[in-house]
Amino acid sequence: MASLPATAILWPAVAMAGLTFLVWMRLYHLRLGEMARKRIDAQALAGSADAARLLVDTRASDNFRNLFEVPVLFYAGVLLAAQAGFDDRALLVLAWLFVGLRVVHSLVQCTVNHVMTRFAAYALATLVLMAFWARTAWLLWLA
């Protein structure tokens, strides 16, 4: 079997960063639209408590914050795997599976926000990340 390019494991991290930027754009599209409709001055949103009180549509901002929670462990794992030089297809598949499930999670949360669908994507993504880290630990053990 042919070996993977050394940068293959980094592309899922690039995709996650892209997802984060897309959610950021969605967040500001929704937030600026709501501020314009309600004639909310930007200074009125100086604190998170003010934003919670004045803004109704928090789907994208909630998702944006969530993209800096569990995914931090994903980025760390990808960088560790890249630094260790792991040429492992299972890690690559798990990384892309994590990204795909986080895309589903973000799409659900930023649109219909069906809690059980969102939770299923979140839980599956986290289980995949646990498998990614277990595989990484195993490969470190073998190294």
Side-chain angles (χ1 to χ4, degrees), residues 9-126:
I9 196 65
L10 297 174
W11 284 106
V14 171
M16 274 299 296
L19 172 63
T20 303
F21 295 136
L22 286 172
V23 170
W24 181 86
M25 287 187 282
R26 175 75 173 153
L27 157 64
Y28 282 98
H29 171 75
L30 291 174
R31 181 162 289 178
L32 293 174
E34 187 172 354
M35 288 170 64
R37 281 189 309 280
K38 293 181 174 179
R39 292 185 165 87
I40 299 172
D41 181 77
Q43 192 59 42
L45 301 175
S48 58
D50 300 319
R53 182 175 45 82
L54 295 171
L55 298 172
V56 174
D57 192 348
T58 62
R59 297 172 295 176
S61 61
D62 292 343
N63 186 252
F64 186 72
R65 266 190 309 281
N66 189 262
L67 287 169
F68 291 93
E69 294 171 356
V70 171
V72 169
L73 293 172
F74 170 74
Y75 291 119
V78 164
L79 292 174
L80 175 65
Q83 179 64 32
F86 294 151
D87 177 16
D88 188 73
R89 290 189 190 285
L91 278 183
L92 187 60
V93 167
L94 289 167
W96 279 116
L97 189 54
F98 176 81
V99 171
L101 288 164
R102 291 307 303 228
V103 166
V104 170
H105 175 267
S106 290
L107 283 171
V108 171
Q109 188 166 24
C110 289
T111 58
V112 296
N113 204 17
H114 185 264
V115 173
M116 290 312 293
T117 303
R118 189 180 89 208
F119 176 74
Y122 176 85
L124 286 172
T126 304

Side-chain angles (χ1 to χ4, degrees), residues 77-78 80-81 84 86 91 130-141:
V78 164
L80 175 65
F86 294 151
L91 278 183
M130 287 177 189
F132 180 94
W133 271 99
R135 178 76 179 164
T136 300
W138 176 251
L139 292 171
L140 280 171
W141 177 262

